[in-house]
């Protein structure tokens, strides 16, 4: 497979940096072709602003959605964004690798998504009708491609368990896995999470690195998270509510959007430091 690996850590000698090297080496050993976007090393500009839309006239009000649509349609996005889009279209798969900062991705990576996932590429794709609501959530530009997160976290695994005080890790990562990756069509693999990362010593690195290598060996074959397809019949159109007969009537929350009946895994493969 051709894999775009997006790395977001300010320090090359970090644990995250060491795990990146392990992952890429193993992927290449498996015959995959990997291209790396190293956001801090590249000096990636994270904020969306007028400079992103060179065709916008000074007197024009900036409407980010419209500006993104027009710039993408006219091939007038900035060179850094166009280069990332070219890599995304080249790749069969996308890996986002970052430390968990305030229960989310570092701002520089969020800014990569904000700027690169343009209107017409990652959203605003497909037609609305009585039978479908555009191409999103399992359909879209990246349908048929795989995506996955590699995350390090300071907190304990127990604190991210279903009843843990931090909230379940599946829920915390849902906005990224479902909202950013599944939305434009990717099949999203269960994430690889390292817990208690700050407490790790050199002796603890080897087993985690081996877990990650093992995970990279199954990257092309492991079942994705069984998110429900928007246009697959589980949701009412146009309200996009899950049909009342699906799931427990009183149930709410992110887990409802995973089809437990599908032959797919949502199990986290985690290394606990
Ligand atoms: P590093 O600091 O680079 O290394 C961690 C440890 O690994 C060090 O002790 C290092 O010696 C050791 N190590 C072992 N082997 C190696 C090797 N081969 N190479 C390098 N180092 C090695 N955590 C949460 O759980 N939830 C949060 O919401 C959260 N928010 C945060 C917000 C901010 C702003 C920050 C700075 C941290 C936050 N954290 C949070 C903690 C954060 O997730 C961890 O600090 C981070 O994941 C550790 O990864 P790292 O690559 O930065 O580790």
């Amino acid at each position: 497979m051709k894999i775009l690996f997006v790395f977001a850590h300010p320090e090359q000698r970090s644990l995250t940096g060491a795990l990146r090297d392990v992952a890429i080496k193993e992927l290449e050993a498996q015959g995959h072709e990997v291209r790396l976007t190293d956001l801090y090393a590249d000096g990636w500009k994270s904020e969306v602003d007028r400079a992103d839309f060179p065709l916008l006239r000074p007197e024009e009000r900036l409407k980010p959605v419209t500006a993104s649509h027009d710039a993408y349609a006219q091939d007038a996005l900035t060179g850094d964004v166009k280069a990332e889009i070219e890599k995304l279209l080249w790749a069969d798969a996308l890996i986002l690798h970052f430390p968990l900062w305030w229960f989310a991705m570092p701002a520089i990576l969020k800014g990569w998504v904000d700027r690169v996932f343009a209107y017409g590429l990652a959203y605003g794709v497909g037609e609305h009708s009585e039978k479908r609501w555009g191409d999103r959530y399992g359909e879209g530009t990246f349908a048929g491609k795989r995506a996955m997160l590699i995350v390090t976290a300071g907190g304990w695994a127990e604190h991210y368990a279903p009843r843990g005080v931090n909230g379940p890790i599946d829920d915390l990562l849902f906005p990224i896995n479902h909202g950013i990756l599944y939305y434009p069509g990717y099949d999203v693999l269960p994430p690889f999470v390292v817990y208690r990362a700050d407490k790790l010593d050199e002796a603890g690195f080897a087993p985690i690195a081996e877990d990650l290598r093992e995970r990279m060996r199954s990257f092309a074959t492991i079942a994705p998270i069984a998110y429900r397809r928007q246009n697959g019949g589980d949701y009412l159109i146009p309200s996009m509510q899950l049909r009342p007969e699906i799931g427990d009537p009183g149930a709410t929350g992110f887990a409802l959007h995973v089809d437990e009946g599908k032959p797919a895994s949502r199990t986290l493969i985690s290394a606990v430091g």
Side-chain angles (χ1 to χ4, degrees):
M1 296 180 100
K2 291 181 279 190
I3 300 171
L4 175 59
F5 196 107
V6 181
F7 172 75
H9 197 289
E11 173 60 62
Q12 297 294 327
R13 294 162 295 177
S14 61
L15 174 63
T16 306
L19 293 173
R20 169 202 61 195
D21 294 345
V22 166
I24 292 178
K25 196 170 170 199
E26 186 60 41
L27 288 168
E28 289 177 342
Q30 297 301 313
H32 301 303
E33 189 181 346
V34 182
R35 286 170 77 179
L36 173 68
T37 291
D38 185 337
L39 292 172
Y40 281 94
D42 295 347
W44 180 259
K45 167 183 176 287
S46 60
E47 68 280 11
V48 173
D49 60 18
R50 295 186 76 91
D52 287 332
F53 310 109
L55 294 186
L56 198 68
R57 294 190 305 278
E59 69 278 13
E60 272 185 285
R61 172 181 158 191
L62 169 61
K63 294 182 183 172
V65 170
T66 312
S68 178
H69 168 276
D70 294 350
Y72 182 69
Q74 295 170 54
D75 194 25
L77 288 161
T78 54
D80 56 349
V81 171
K82 282 206 256 187
E84 294 305 305
I85 291 174
E86 183 270 318
K87 287 188 225 173
L88 278 173
L89 296 175
W90 164 86
D92 305 309
L94 172 66
I95 293 177
L96 304 180
H97 187 183
F98 56 93
L100 195 67
W101 282 359
W102 288 110
F103 301 101
M105 54 172 70
I108 199 168
L109 179 54
K110 177 59 164 43
W112 179 84
V113 176
D114 289 345
R115 296 183 62 227
V116 174
F117 278 32
Y119 189 122
L121 174 76
Y123 68 106
V125 177
E127 299 299 320
H128 293 321
S129 73
E130 286 177 9
K131 296 216 169 115
R132 52 187 302 110
W133 191 259
D135 295 345
R136 54 175 203 172
Y137 294 120
E139 298 166 316
T141 303
F142 303 122
K145 301 183 183 221
R146 305 190 136 220
M148 186 188 137
L149 307 181
I150 303 176
V151 184
T152 52
W156 295 27
E158 290 92 328
H159 301 182
Y160 288 101
R163 291 167 63 85
V165 66
N166 290 343
I169 193 74
D170 284 343
D171 283 5
L172 293 167
L173 296 180
F174 184 90
I176 306 175
N177 279 333
H178 188 264
I180 292 175
L181 298 174
Y182 191 58
Y183 188 104
Y186 285 109
D187 288 331
V188 184
L189 308 187
F192 183 88
V193 184
V194 178
Y195 295 105
R196 296 189 75 193
D198 297 308
K199 300 291 180 201
L200 196 67
D201 55 21
E202 279 185 30
F205 182 79
I208 288 174
E210 190 45 37
D211 279 354
L212 182 56
R213 276 187 212 100
E214 177 55 36
R215 190 58 197 282
M216 293 297 97
R217 283 195 279 273
S218 63
F219 180 80
T221 54
I222 192 172
I225 302 170
Y227 289 132
R228 300 176 190 280
R229 292 167 72 94
Q230 169 184 261
N231 294 312
D234 287 351
Y235 297 93
L236 300 166
I237 298 174
S239 72
M240 283 300 139
Q241 300 274 314
L242 201 58
R243 289 185 177 281
E245 64 271 23
I246 295 176
D248 294 335
T252 59
F254 296 141
L256 277 176
H257 303 289
V258 177
D259 185 349
E260 299 291 354
K262 270 193 196 164
S265 165
R266 68 186 284 247
T267 311
L268 288 169
I269 300 181
S270 315
V272 182

